Amino acid sequence: MSCQFLFLLLLSVGVSAVEVQRPRGVPLSKRQFYEEGKPFTCLDGSRTIPFDRVNDDYCDCQDGSDEPGTAACPNGSFHCTNAGFRPTFIPSSRINDGICDCCDTTDEYNSGATCQNTCRELGRKERESLQKMAEIAKEGFLLKQQLIHEAKRGLEDKKAKLGDVQGSKKDLEAKVEALRTVKEAAEQPEREAKEHHLKAWEDQKALIQKEKESARMAEVFLELDDDADGFVSVPELLSHSELDPDADGSFTEAEAQGLLGGVDKVDTAAFESIWSNVKEKYMSESNADTPAPEETSREEINEPVSDNESDQYPDDDIPEDEDDDDEEDEDDDRDEHDYKIPPTARTEEKKDDDEGAMPPYDQETQNLIDAAQKARDEFDEAERALREVDDQIRNLEKEISFDFGPSSEFAYLYSQCYELTTSEYIYRLCPFNRVTQKPKFGGSETNLGSWGKWAGPEDSIYSVMKYEHGTGCWQGPSRSTTVKLTCGKETVVMSTSEPSRCEYLMEFTCPAVCQEPPNLEISSHEHQEL
C-alpha cells in the first residue's frame, strides 16, 4: 500500500463533518446536477424531467440518475455518506432490502430494519490500523536511509579494495614469472641428473643381461656338445627336433647345417655368431627330462576337500546358487594363486626380480630433486594466490556494477538467505542468487529459479524480483519464482504459493522498498462530505 494512499485514507476518516443538503443518495461531487426547483437533466443527457420526479420511486432516466435514493432503477447506485468512516457506493437494489449495507444506516431509511450506526467505531479502528501502517512505513524509510548510507560506504570500500587487489595482482604476476624462471632453472639440472642416473641403471641392466646371455649360451653349447670335443656338429643339432626351422616334423641335415651358418660344426667362438638362430627354440635337456605337469582343470582346482561334499550333487544337477558360489571361489583362487598367469608375465616378473629395482638416487641428485620440488611448490603457491586474486577481482567488479536499486538500498541482501518453513517444505530465498524448496522431513533440494531481473511495473520496477530457469517440472516448464517486495521494518519471507503449475509467488518484506511517507498531520479544519 503506497504512502500517498495511506495519507488519503487517514485524511478521509479522521476529520470533522459538515452536512451539505442534497437529494438522498447523491455524492457531494454531483451536488451541482441536482438543484431543487430547476428541471433535472439525466446525467447521460438523454432527457430532462421536472425536479419533483427525482427520487419519486419511478425510473425516468436510462442511466438511473433520477433515482439515486430509491431502488426503482436496476442500474442505479446509492451513495453511503458514512460520516466518520469511508464513503462508498452500493447498488440501488440494496436500498430498503432489510439489510444494513451502509454503516450510517442511510440505505434502510424506509424498510423498518433495526440498524445501528457503526461508522465512528469502524473509522476509529481503521485509523488505528492505518496509523500503524504509516508508522511502519516511516520506520522502514528511516531504516532504508541507513541502508543507503551503509551501501554508499560499502561501495566506496569495495572500490578502494578493488584498487588494492588490482595492485597486488601486478605484484603477484611479477612474482609468478620470477618463480617460474627459478622453477625452470632448478628443473633443468634435476632432469639431467635423473636422466644420467636412469642411463647408468639401464647400462648396468644391459651388462647384467649380457652376462646372463653369455652364461646361457655357454651352458647350451656344453649341452649340445654331446661328445665334449669342443664343437657343436650337425648330428648333435639333429638330436634336438625343437630346433627344426619350419617345424614340419622333419629336421634334416641341410636345415641343421643352415642353423650352423652353412658349416658342419662350430666351436665356441663361431657358436656366438649363430646363437640367435638357436636360443629362441632351444629346449634344455634338463627341462626335457622332467615330465611336464598335467594341466589341472578348473573343476579340480575348486574341488572341495571332503568327498561327501563333492558327491552331494551330480554334475548336471548343481543348483544355480551353487554355480554362482563356485564362480566366486574361482575368482578368489585366481587372485590368491595367480591362476593361469601367462608364461610371458611370469618371465617378466622373474626378469625384474633378477635385475632388482632401480637403486636410490645419490645424494647430489637427491639434493637437485629437492631443490626443484621446493621451486615447484613455491611456484604453485604463487599461482594459486594469483587465481584467488582474480576471483576476488571478478566478485568485486560484479558487486560494484550490480543493480541494487537507485541508491543501492538492496545491496545488504547480497550473499544473504531467508527461510520460510511451512507444514511440508522449507523455502529458501537468497536474493540475487536463487530460490529453493526442500521437503521439511528429508529429501533433495529443488531449484525454484535463479536470479533473472527486476520485474516490477515501470513506475515501481524494484518492487518485484524474477527468478528463472529452475529445475524442470515433469513434462512441464522450468520452475520460476516471482518475489513481490513490500515495505516492512524487518527482512522476512512472509508467504509462498504456487498460483500456476511450476510458477511460484513469494511475499517478501524489507525496509529497502519503503518510500518516503507524506506528512500525515491531519488538519482539524478539513471536512468530510455529508
Side-chain angles (χ1 to χ4, degrees), residues 420 422 425-429 435-438 445-450 464-474 477-484 493 495-507:
L420 173 68
T422 66
Y425 298 102
I426 299 173
Y427 292 91
R428 185 177 176 87
L429 168 64
V435 181
T436 60
Q437 175 197 64
K438 187 175 182 179
E445 191 174 71
T446 301
N447 183 4
L448 302 186
S450 298
V464 178
M465 291 176 166
K466 188 68 176 178
Y467 293 80
E468 305 167 313
H469 309 302
T471 304
C473 285
W474 172 250
S478 296
R479 289 173 171 84
S480 63
T481 302
T482 298
V483 180
K484 290 187 177 180
V493 178
S495 66
T496 184
S497 60
E498 189 178 0
S500 300
R501 183 170 179 251
C502 305
E503 294 180 2
Y504 297 81
L505 176 64
M506 239 178 210
E507 299 285 346

Short mmCIF file of all heavy atoms in Angstrom, two decimals, residues 420 422 425-429 435-438 445-450 464-474 477-484 493 495-507:
data_model
loop_
_atom_site.label_atom_id
_atom_site.label_comp_id
_atom_site.label_asym_id
_atom_site.label_seq_id
_atom_site.Cartn_x
_atom_site.Cartn_y
_atom_site.Cartn_z
N LEU A 420 11.50 -19.66 4.97
CA LEU A 420 10.12 -19.77 5.45
C LEU A 420 9.78 -21.25 5.53
O LEU A 420 9.91 -21.98 4.54
CB LEU A 420 9.15 -19.06 4.49
CG LEU A 420 7.67 -19.26 4.81
CD1 LEU A 420 7.31 -18.55 6.11
CD2 LEU A 420 6.80 -18.75 3.67
N THR A 422 6.98 -24.11 6.07
CA THR A 422 5.55 -24.42 6.05
C THR A 422 5.35 -25.82 6.60
O THR A 422 6.28 -26.45 7.09
CB THR A 422 4.99 -24.32 4.61
OG1 THR A 422 5.59 -25.34 3.80
CG2 THR A 422 5.30 -22.95 4.01
N TYR A 425 7.25 -27.88 3.51
CA TYR A 425 8.52 -27.51 2.88
C TYR A 425 9.25 -26.41 3.65
O TYR A 425 8.65 -25.67 4.44
CB TYR A 425 8.29 -27.03 1.44
CG TYR A 425 7.70 -28.07 0.53
CD1 TYR A 425 6.35 -28.05 0.19
CD2 TYR A 425 8.51 -29.08 -0.01
CE1 TYR A 425 5.81 -29.01 -0.66
CE2 TYR A 425 7.97 -30.03 -0.86
CZ TYR A 425 6.62 -30.00 -1.18
OH TYR A 425 6.10 -30.94 -2.00
N ILE A 426 10.54 -26.32 3.33
CA ILE A 426 11.36 -25.20 3.77
C ILE A 426 11.74 -24.43 2.51
O ILE A 426 12.45 -24.94 1.64
CB ILE A 426 12.62 -25.68 4.52
CG1 ILE A 426 12.25 -26.46 5.77
CG2 ILE A 426 13.50 -24.48 4.88
CD1 ILE A 426 13.44 -27.11 6.47
N TYR A 427 11.25 -23.21 2.41
CA TYR A 427 11.56 -22.36 1.26
C TYR A 427 12.73 -21.45 1.64
O TYR A 427 12.77 -20.89 2.74
CB TYR A 427 10.35 -21.52 0.86
CG TYR A 427 9.23 -22.35 0.30
CD1 TYR A 427 8.23 -22.87 1.12
CD2 TYR A 427 9.16 -22.63 -1.06
CE1 TYR A 427 7.20 -23.64 0.62
CE2 TYR A 427 8.13 -23.41 -1.59
CZ TYR A 427 7.16 -23.91 -0.74
OH TYR A 427 6.15 -24.67 -1.26
N ARG A 428 13.65 -21.29 0.71
CA ARG A 428 14.86 -20.50 0.97
C ARG A 428 15.06 -19.50 -0.16
O ARG A 428 15.20 -19.88 -1.32
CB ARG A 428 16.06 -21.45 1.09
CG ARG A 428 17.38 -20.78 1.49
CD ARG A 428 18.44 -21.87 1.64
NE ARG A 428 19.75 -21.34 1.94
CZ ARG A 428 20.21 -21.07 3.15
NH1 ARG A 428 19.44 -21.30 4.19
NH2 ARG A 428 21.42 -20.60 3.33
N LEU A 429 15.05 -18.23 0.20
CA LEU A 429 15.27 -17.15 -0.78
C LEU A 429 16.65 -16.54 -0.53
O LEU A 429 16.91 -16.02 0.55
CB LEU A 429 14.19 -16.07 -0.63
CG LEU A 429 14.45 -14.75 -1.37
CD1 LEU A 429 14.49 -14.97 -2.88
CD2 LEU A 429 13.39 -13.72 -1.00
N VAL A 435 16.20 -19.30 -5.59
CA VAL A 435 15.14 -19.70 -4.65
C VAL A 435 15.08 -21.23 -4.67
O VAL A 435 15.12 -21.84 -5.74
CB VAL A 435 13.78 -19.12 -5.07
CG1 VAL A 435 12.70 -19.52 -4.06
CG2 VAL A 435 13.85 -17.61 -5.18
N THR A 436 14.98 -21.84 -3.49
CA THR A 436 14.94 -23.30 -3.41
C THR A 436 13.80 -23.76 -2.51
O THR A 436 13.28 -23.01 -1.69
CB THR A 436 16.26 -23.89 -2.87
OG1 THR A 436 16.50 -23.37 -1.55
CG2 THR A 436 17.42 -23.53 -3.79
N GLN A 437 13.44 -25.03 -2.70
CA GLN A 437 12.40 -25.69 -1.90
C GLN A 437 12.95 -27.04 -1.46
O GLN A 437 13.48 -27.79 -2.28
CB GLN A 437 11.15 -25.86 -2.76
CG GLN A 437 10.03 -26.64 -2.10
CD GLN A 437 9.01 -27.11 -3.13
OE1 GLN A 437 9.32 -27.91 -4.00
NE2 GLN A 437 7.79 -26.60 -3.03
N LYS A 438 12.80 -27.34 -0.18
CA LYS A 438 13.30 -28.61 0.34
C LYS A 438 12.24 -29.22 1.25
O LYS A 438 11.66 -28.52 2.09
CB LYS A 438 14.60 -28.40 1.12
CG LYS A 438 15.27 -29.69 1.55
CD LYS A 438 16.62 -29.41 2.21
CE LYS A 438 17.33 -30.70 2.59
NZ LYS A 438 18.64 -30.45 3.21
N GLU A 445 16.92 -31.05 -2.48
CA GLU A 445 16.53 -29.66 -2.69
C GLU A 445 16.14 -29.43 -4.15
O GLU A 445 16.75 -29.99 -5.06
CB GLU A 445 17.70 -28.76 -2.29
CG GLU A 445 17.38 -27.29 -2.21
CD GLU A 445 18.56 -26.49 -1.68
OE1 GLU A 445 19.55 -26.34 -2.42
OE2 GLU A 445 18.50 -26.01 -0.53
N THR A 446 15.12 -28.61 -4.37
CA THR A 446 14.66 -28.29 -5.72
C THR A 446 14.90 -26.82 -6.01
O THR A 446 14.54 -25.96 -5.19
CB THR A 446 13.16 -28.61 -5.88
OG1 THR A 446 12.94 -29.99 -5.60
CG2 THR A 446 12.69 -28.30 -7.29
N ASN A 447 15.49 -26.52 -7.15
CA ASN A 447 15.76 -25.14 -7.54
C ASN A 447 14.49 -24.54 -8.15
O ASN A 447 14.00 -25.00 -9.17
CB ASN A 447 16.91 -25.12 -8.55
CG ASN A 447 17.29 -23.70 -8.95
OD1 ASN A 447 16.75 -22.73 -8.43
ND2 ASN A 447 18.23 -23.58 -9.86
N LEU A 448 13.96 -23.51 -7.52
CA LEU A 448 12.75 -22.85 -8.00
C LEU A 448 13.06 -21.65 -8.89
O LEU A 448 12.15 -20.92 -9.27
CB LEU A 448 11.88 -22.39 -6.82
CG LEU A 448 11.42 -23.49 -5.84
CD1 LEU A 448 10.46 -22.91 -4.82
CD2 LEU A 448 10.78 -24.65 -6.58
N GLY A 449 14.33 -21.47 -9.22
CA GLY A 449 14.70 -20.38 -10.13
C GLY A 449 15.97 -19.67 -9.68
O GLY A 449 16.22 -19.53 -8.48
N SER A 450 16.74 -19.24 -10.66
CA SER A 450 17.95 -18.45 -10.40
C SER A 450 17.67 -16.99 -10.79
O SER A 450 16.79 -16.70 -11.59
CB SER A 450 19.13 -19.00 -11.21
OG SER A 450 19.40 -20.33 -10.83
N VAL A 464 9.44 -5.90 -7.61
CA VAL A 464 9.27 -7.31 -7.97
C VAL A 464 10.60 -7.89 -8.46
O VAL A 464 11.29 -7.26 -9.26
CB VAL A 464 8.20 -7.49 -9.08
CG1 VAL A 464 8.08 -8.97 -9.47
CG2 VAL A 464 6.85 -6.96 -8.62
N MET A 465 10.94 -9.08 -7.95
CA MET A 465 12.12 -9.82 -8.42
C MET A 465 11.65 -11.03 -9.22
O MET A 465 10.63 -11.65 -8.88
CB MET A 465 12.96 -10.33 -7.24
CG MET A 465 13.67 -9.27 -6.44
SD MET A 465 14.52 -10.04 -5.02
CE MET A 465 15.59 -8.71 -4.50
N LYS A 466 12.40 -11.39 -10.24
CA LYS A 466 12.07 -12.56 -11.05
C LYS A 466 13.24 -13.55 -11.03
O LYS A 466 14.37 -13.18 -11.33
CB LYS A 466 11.76 -12.15 -12.49
CG LYS A 466 11.21 -13.26 -13.35
CD LYS A 466 9.82 -13.69 -12.91
CE LYS A 466 9.24 -14.75 -13.85
NZ LYS A 466 7.92 -15.21 -13.41
N TYR A 467 12.94 -14.81 -10.67
CA TYR A 467 13.93 -15.89 -10.65
C TYR A 467 13.48 -16.93 -11.68
O TYR A 467 12.34 -17.39 -11.64
CB TYR A 467 14.04 -16.50 -9.25
CG TYR A 467 14.62 -15.54 -8.24
CD1 TYR A 467 13.82 -14.56 -7.67
CD2 TYR A 467 15.96 -15.59 -7.89
CE1 TYR A 467 14.35 -13.65 -6.75
CE2 TYR A 467 16.50 -14.69 -6.98
CZ TYR A 467 15.69 -13.73 -6.41
OH TYR A 467 16.22 -12.83 -5.53
N GLU A 468 14.38 -17.31 -12.59
CA GLU A 468 14.00 -18.13 -13.74
C GLU A 468 14.89 -19.36 -13.89
O GLU A 468 15.91 -19.49 -13.21
CB GLU A 468 14.10 -17.28 -15.02
CG GLU A 468 13.28 -16.01 -14.97
CD GLU A 468 13.62 -15.04 -16.08
OE1 GLU A 468 14.82 -14.80 -16.33
OE2 GLU A 468 12.67 -14.52 -16.71
N HIS A 469 14.47 -20.24 -14.82
CA HIS A 469 15.27 -21.41 -15.24
C HIS A 469 15.63 -22.32 -14.06
O HIS A 469 16.78 -22.73 -13.89
CB HIS A 469 16.54 -20.96 -15.96
CG HIS A 469 16.29 -19.98 -17.07
ND1 HIS A 469 15.47 -20.26 -18.13
CD2 HIS A 469 16.73 -18.70 -17.23
CE1 HIS A 469 15.42 -19.20 -18.93
NE2 HIS A 469 16.17 -18.25 -18.42
N GLY A 470 14.62 -22.63 -13.23
CA GLY A 470 14.84 -23.58 -12.14
C GLY A 470 14.73 -25.01 -12.65
O GLY A 470 14.73 -25.28 -13.85
N THR A 471 14.64 -25.94 -11.71
CA THR A 471 14.51 -27.36 -12.07
C THR A 471 13.24 -27.56 -12.89
O THR A 471 12.18 -27.04 -12.56
CB THR A 471 14.45 -28.22 -10.79
OG1 THR A 471 15.62 -27.96 -10.01
CG2 THR A 471 14.41 -29.70 -11.15
N GLY A 472 13.36 -28.33 -13.97
CA GLY A 472 12.21 -28.56 -14.83
C GLY A 472 11.15 -29.42 -14.16
O GLY A 472 11.46 -30.36 -13.43
N CYS A 473 9.90 -29.09 -14.40
CA CYS A 473 8.80 -29.92 -13.90
C CYS A 473 8.62 -31.14 -14.80
O CYS A 473 8.98 -31.11 -15.98
CB CYS A 473 7.50 -29.11 -13.89
SG CYS A 473 7.41 -27.91 -12.56
N TRP A 474 8.02 -32.18 -14.25
CA TRP A 474 7.77 -33.38 -15.03
C TRP A 474 6.82 -33.04 -16.17
O TRP A 474 5.69 -32.62 -15.96
CB TRP A 474 7.18 -34.47 -14.13
CG TRP A 474 6.72 -35.69 -14.89
CD1 TRP A 474 5.45 -36.09 -15.09
CD2 TRP A 474 7.55 -36.66 -15.55
NE1 TRP A 474 5.42 -37.25 -15.83
CE2 TRP A 474 6.70 -37.62 -16.12
CE3 TRP A 474 8.92 -36.80 -15.71
CZ2 TRP A 474 7.18 -38.71 -16.86
CZ3 TRP A 474 9.41 -37.88 -16.43
CH2 TRP A 474 8.54 -38.82 -16.99
N PRO A 477 7.20 -26.96 -17.80
CA PRO A 477 8.25 -25.95 -17.96
C PRO A 477 9.23 -25.96 -16.80
O PRO A 477 9.04 -26.66 -15.79
CB PRO A 477 7.44 -24.64 -17.97
CG PRO A 477 6.25 -24.94 -17.10
CD PRO A 477 5.93 -26.39 -17.36
N SER A 478 10.27 -25.17 -16.93
CA SER A 478 11.21 -24.99 -15.83
C SER A 478 10.55 -24.15 -14.75
O SER A 478 9.74 -23.26 -15.03
CB SER A 478 12.48 -24.29 -16.31
OG SER A 478 13.17 -25.09 -17.26
N ARG A 479 10.86 -24.45 -13.50
CA ARG A 479 10.26 -23.70 -12.39
C ARG A 479 10.77 -22.25 -12.38
O ARG A 479 11.91 -21.98 -12.74
CB ARG A 479 10.59 -24.38 -11.06
CG ARG A 479 9.85 -25.69 -10.85
CD ARG A 479 10.33 -26.40 -9.60
NE ARG A 479 9.52 -27.56 -9.25
CZ ARG A 479 9.67 -28.76 -9.76
NH1 ARG A 479 10.62 -28.97 -10.67
NH2 ARG A 479 8.90 -29.76 -9.39
N SER A 480 9.91 -21.35 -11.93
CA SER A 480 10.27 -19.94 -11.81
C SER A 480 9.55 -19.37 -10.59
O SER A 480 8.53 -19.91 -10.14
CB SER A 480 9.89 -19.16 -13.07
OG SER A 480 8.49 -19.19 -13.26
N THR A 481 10.09 -18.27 -10.06
CA THR A 481 9.51 -17.64 -8.87
C THR A 481 9.45 -16.13 -9.05
O THR A 481 10.43 -15.52 -9.47
CB THR A 481 10.34 -17.98 -7.61
OG1 THR A 481 10.40 -19.40 -7.44
CG2 THR A 481 9.72 -17.36 -6.37
N THR A 482 8.29 -15.56 -8.71
CA THR A 482 8.13 -14.12 -8.66
C THR A 482 8.11 -13.70 -7.19
O THR A 482 7.34 -14.25 -6.40
CB THR A 482 6.81 -13.69 -9.34
OG1 THR A 482 6.86 -14.08 -10.71
CG2 THR A 482 6.62 -12.19 -9.25
N VAL A 483 8.98 -12.76 -6.83
CA VAL A 483 9.07 -12.29 -5.44
C VAL A 483 8.55 -10.86 -5.38
O VAL A 483 9.12 -9.95 -6.01
CB VAL A 483 10.52 -12.36 -4.92
CG1 VAL A 483 10.59 -11.86 -3.48
CG2 VAL A 483 11.06 -13.79 -5.01
N LYS A 484 7.44 -10.66 -4.65
CA LYS A 484 6.88 -9.33 -4.50
C LYS A 484 7.39 -8.71 -3.21
O LYS A 484 7.25 -9.30 -2.13
CB LYS A 484 5.35 -9.40 -4.49
CG LYS A 484 4.75 -9.75 -5.85
CD LYS A 484 3.24 -9.63 -5.84
CE LYS A 484 2.66 -9.91 -7.22
NZ LYS A 484 1.18 -9.80 -7.25
N VAL A 493 10.59 -13.41 4.71
CA VAL A 493 9.72 -14.07 3.73
C VAL A 493 8.39 -14.31 4.42
O VAL A 493 8.30 -15.09 5.37
CB VAL A 493 10.32 -15.40 3.23
CG1 VAL A 493 9.36 -16.07 2.25
CG2 VAL A 493 11.66 -15.17 2.55
N SER A 495 5.22 -15.21 2.89
CA SER A 495 4.37 -16.30 2.41
C SER A 495 4.90 -16.79 1.07
O SER A 495 5.69 -16.12 0.41
CB SER A 495 2.92 -15.84 2.25
OG SER A 495 2.83 -14.86 1.22
N THR A 496 4.43 -17.97 0.70
CA THR A 496 4.77 -18.52 -0.61
C THR A 496 3.58 -19.33 -1.11
O THR A 496 2.83 -19.92 -0.33
CB THR A 496 6.04 -19.39 -0.54
OG1 THR A 496 6.38 -19.85 -1.85
CG2 THR A 496 5.82 -20.59 0.35
N SER A 497 3.40 -19.35 -2.43
CA SER A 497 2.30 -20.08 -3.03
C SER A 497 2.68 -20.49 -4.44
O SER A 497 3.71 -20.06 -4.97
CB SER A 497 1.02 -19.22 -3.05
OG SER A 497 1.23 -18.03 -3.80
N GLU A 498 1.83 -21.33 -5.04
CA GLU A 498 2.05 -21.78 -6.41
C GLU A 498 0.76 -21.52 -7.21
O GLU A 498 -0.04 -22.43 -7.44
CB GLU A 498 2.42 -23.27 -6.44
CG GLU A 498 2.86 -23.77 -7.80
CD GLU A 498 3.27 -25.24 -7.79
OE1 GLU A 498 3.20 -25.87 -6.72
OE2 GLU A 498 3.65 -25.75 -8.86
N PRO A 499 0.54 -20.25 -7.62
CA PRO A 499 -0.71 -19.92 -8.32
C PRO A 499 -0.88 -20.65 -9.63
O PRO A 499 -2.01 -20.92 -10.05
CB PRO A 499 -0.59 -18.40 -8.53
CG PRO A 499 0.87 -18.09 -8.41
CD PRO A 499 1.42 -19.09 -7.46
N SER A 500 0.22 -20.96 -10.31
CA SER A 500 0.17 -21.75 -11.55
C SER A 500 1.21 -22.86 -11.44
O SER A 500 2.17 -22.75 -10.67
CB SER A 500 0.47 -20.87 -12.77
OG SER A 500 -0.48 -19.83 -12.88
N ARG A 501 1.01 -23.91 -12.22
CA ARG A 501 1.93 -25.06 -12.15
C ARG A 501 3.37 -24.62 -12.44
O ARG A 501 3.64 -24.00 -13.47
CB ARG A 501 1.50 -26.13 -13.15
CG ARG A 501 2.36 -27.38 -13.10
CD ARG A 501 1.75 -28.50 -13.92
NE ARG A 501 2.59 -29.69 -13.88
CZ ARG A 501 3.30 -30.13 -14.90
NH1 ARG A 501 3.27 -29.49 -16.06
NH2 ARG A 501 4.04 -31.22 -14.80
N CYS A 502 4.25 -24.92 -11.51
CA CYS A 502 5.69 -24.63 -11.63
C CYS A 502 6.01 -23.14 -11.59
O CYS A 502 7.15 -22.76 -11.83
CB CYS A 502 6.27 -25.24 -12.91
SG CYS A 502 5.96 -27.00 -13.07
N GLU A 503 5.02 -22.30 -11.28
CA GLU A 503 5.25 -20.86 -11.13
C GLU A 503 4.90 -20.47 -9.70
O GLU A 503 3.75 -20.57 -9.29
CB GLU A 503 4.40 -20.07 -12.13
CG GLU A 503 4.79 -20.32 -13.58
CD GLU A 503 3.94 -19.52 -14.55
OE1 GLU A 503 3.08 -18.74 -14.08
OE2 GLU A 503 4.13 -19.67 -15.77
N TYR A 504 5.90 -20.02 -8.96
CA TYR A 504 5.75 -19.75 -7.53
C TYR A 504 5.68 -18.24 -7.28
O TYR A 504 6.22 -17.43 -8.04
CB TYR A 504 6.91 -20.37 -6.74
CG TYR A 504 6.97 -21.87 -6.86
CD1 TYR A 504 7.54 -22.47 -7.98
CD2 TYR A 504 6.43 -22.69 -5.88
CE1 TYR A 504 7.57 -23.86 -8.11
CE2 TYR A 504 6.46 -24.07 -5.99
CZ TYR A 504 7.04 -24.65 -7.12
OH TYR A 504 7.06 -26.02 -7.23
N LEU A 505 5.02 -17.89 -6.18
CA LEU A 505 4.88 -16.49 -5.78
C LEU A 505 5.31 -16.37 -4.32
O LEU A 505 4.87 -17.13 -3.47
CB LEU A 505 3.44 -16.03 -5.93
CG LEU A 505 3.14 -14.60 -5.46
CD1 LEU A 505 3.90 -13.58 -6.29
CD2 LEU A 505 1.64 -14.33 -5.52
N MET A 506 6.20 -15.40 -4.06
CA MET A 506 6.69 -15.18 -2.71
C MET A 506 6.39 -13.74 -2.30
O MET A 506 6.56 -12.81 -3.09
CB MET A 506 8.21 -15.40 -2.67
CG MET A 506 8.65 -16.47 -1.71
SD MET A 506 10.42 -16.72 -1.76
CE MET A 506 10.48 -18.44 -1.32
N GLU A 507 5.95 -13.57 -1.05
CA GLU A 507 5.77 -12.24 -0.48
C GLU A 507 6.95 -11.99 0.46
O GLU A 507 7.21 -12.79 1.37
CB GLU A 507 4.46 -12.17 0.30
CG GLU A 507 3.21 -12.42 -0.55
CD GLU A 507 2.86 -11.26 -1.44
OE1 GLU A 507 3.41 -10.16 -1.23
OE2 GLU A 507 2.04 -11.44 -2.37
#
